[in-house]
Amino acid sequence: MSSESPGFFRQLPSALPGLVLIIVTMMVIRIWIEPWMAHTKIFGMSKPLTDAFHLNYILLGIISGMFYRNIVFGGKIPDMLVDGFRLSRLMIKVGIILLGSLYTFSAIIKLGFTAIALISAFVVLTVLMVLWLGKAFGLDRSMTAVLANALSICGVSAAVATSPAVEAKASHVAYAIATILGFGVLTMFLSPYIGHELGLTNMQYGAWIGTGILNTGQVLASALAFDPQAGPGTALAVAEVWNVMRVIAIPFAVFAVTFWYWAGKDAVDSKGNRQSLGSLLVEKFPVFVIGFMAMVFLTSMGAFGDVGVESGHSPSAAIMSLRVTMQWIFGFGLVGLGGFIDFDELRQAGGAPFRLGLLVGATKYIVALLIVLLLKQYFV
Amino acid sequence: MANEDKYGVNGASDAEMGNKASLFKDDRAEDIGAIIITVIIVVAIVLLKK
């Protein structure tokens, strides 16, 4: 244990300057920049920053943090601000727990056995593929662990949720996010075209992209590009429910990858400090995922009122407030996270994480389409 | 924590982003802190929106 640590509450006052910078940055992004992007026209294109580049408060937050560190502060966060930035992981964990308010168990049960089995198989096989390829590509174990969950589940939130449990650097998360978003932009434009060419129904198309596209936002955009309608039975509704199933897998995948990371780490670092797998599990279990599960459970039990997914009604006031709070806290955490992304580190990592991400992403995208085509009769 | 020094290997940002990236003494304490903060937020929202 780090007896030299002054402790959370004693360090809290020194975190205020950095925290104020983070909060003000996110307020500027959400109150001024996002609305401006939603209405702006560039070279005759309407809102290209949100539609074509999918810039939102999450990405702008990370970019702001990177900008502060690498441009404004010349490569290192000043001592006066660094304690505030050190709150980023705490805020991200709070955001992940609140994320549970978006999902219910009943939405998953409604999917049916075939869909649950297919999505689960994709999650497990993608994790295994990334862990295997990570070794083949010579990637750092933390980087591999973050990529495994980012590519198998739902991109950004999975990458962020996994990072604290596997000692990932901010640059690992940045790489995973950049890979997911880069691949996602490509699939977002390609998928509606392929879907229409193959004559897929809304159900088939939703099942494909809900499995094959990595990021939640891009699943939504691809579904709306295929069929702009939003209601029960549309591509959007199908894709989002399939996507929910993947998100629900976050705690299990974080647990599994954390276990893999520490089990291997123990074997590598065995300098007389060996631990049994049992004690590793107890010591390294990411407790915050229990919070996420508890949140899903409470939401499923109706503790916060109508979720608004299945009923078609608007979500309750409590659910809406929880989601808004989650967005803000995520936003703060990601500005802080961006502040730990060092351009030099990104350069040092080279292109291997991108190559691995593209290989796995493309495989998953194509195999998901082939399976949906093979099982067409189940998705009508 | 015994594993703190490994963050010194790759430069300053590693040191910042490892366990040192937190104001808590270790990950477990940070997890519990996150859960407590969330509980406070949830209770406040539920009470305010009733």
Side-chain angles (χ1 to χ4, degrees), chain A residues 86-247:
Chain A
R86 282 183 181 144
L87 287 172
S88 63
R89 284 202 328 192
L90 174 71
M91 292 190 274
I92 287 167
K93 286 177 179 177
V94 173
I96 295 287
I97 299 171
L98 288 172
L99 189 70
S101 68
L102 290 178
Y103 309 107
T104 62
F105 293 124
S106 61
I108 295 168
I109 293 164
K110 273 193 171 180
L111 277 173
F113 176 76
T114 311
I116 292 174
L118 191 58
I119 297 166
S120 307
F122 261 84
V123 170
V124 172
L125 292 175
T126 310
V127 169
L128 293 176
M129 188 178 174
V130 176
L131 297 185
W132 176 66
L133 283 175
K135 203 173 177 185
F137 278 62
L139 290 188
D140 179 279
R141 285 177 75 81
S142 296
M143 176 81 257
T144 307
V146 172
L147 272 177
N149 280 355
L151 293 166
S152 64
I153 308 177
C154 67
V156 178
S157 39
V160 169
T162 309
S163 59
V166 296
E167 300 185 308
K169 297 181 221 164
S171 57
H172 293 150
V173 181
Y175 250 118
I177 291 174
T179 307
I180 295 155
L181 297 182
F183 180 73
V185 169
L186 188 74
T187 54
M188 222 164 47
F189 289 105
L190 212 56
S191 308
Y193 174 76
I194 296 174
H196 286 302
E197 283 299 304
L198 294 175
L200 298 182
T201 63
N202 274 338
M203 179 69 192
Q204 290 156 356
Y205 183 82
W208 170 38
I209 63 163
T211 315
I213 293 184
L214 306 172
N215 183 257
T216 303
Q218 289 164 344
V219 167
L220 182 124
S222 297
L224 286 174
F226 180 78
D227 175 10
Q229 305 296 318
T234 59
L236 176 67
V238 176
E240 282 304 313
V241 178
W242 278 62
N243 192 44
V244 164
M245 173 66 198
R246 285 195 299 181
V247 179

Side-chain angles (χ1 to χ4, degrees), chain A residues 1-2 4 7-8 11 15 69 83 86-87 89-90 93-94 97-98 164 167 169-170 262 282-288 295 304 317-318 321-322 325 329 340 342 345, chain B residues 1-4 6-7 10-38 41-42 45-46 49:
Chain A
M1 299 291 280
S2 55
E4 73 276 16
F8 175 73
Q11 278 182 286
R69 180 194 183 93
D83 279 349
R86 282 183 181 144
L87 287 172
R89 284 202 328 192
L90 174 71
K93 286 177 179 177
V94 173
I97 299 171
L98 288 172
E167 300 185 308
K169 297 181 221 164
W262 286 102
V282 174
E283 190 186 319
K284 301 299 176 189
F285 181 79
V287 172
F288 71 97
M295 208 59 195
F304 311 121
S321 299
L322 285 171
T325 309
I329 290 176
F340 288 105
D342 194 294
E345 265 185 24
Chain B
M1 297 272 295
N3 52 18
E4 275 177 1
K6 66 178 159 285
Y7 294 110
N10 293 322
S13 63
D14 286 9
E16 288 167 356
M17 199 52 208
N19 286 342
K20 295 290 187 189
S22 172
L23 294 187
F24 289 85
K25 64 178 182 181
D26 57 32
D27 281 348
R28 182 62 52 86
E30 191 176 64
D31 286 1
I32 293 167
I35 290 173
I36 293 170
I37 292 172
T38 312
I41 292 171
V42 169
I45 286 176
V46 169
K49 296 293 172 185

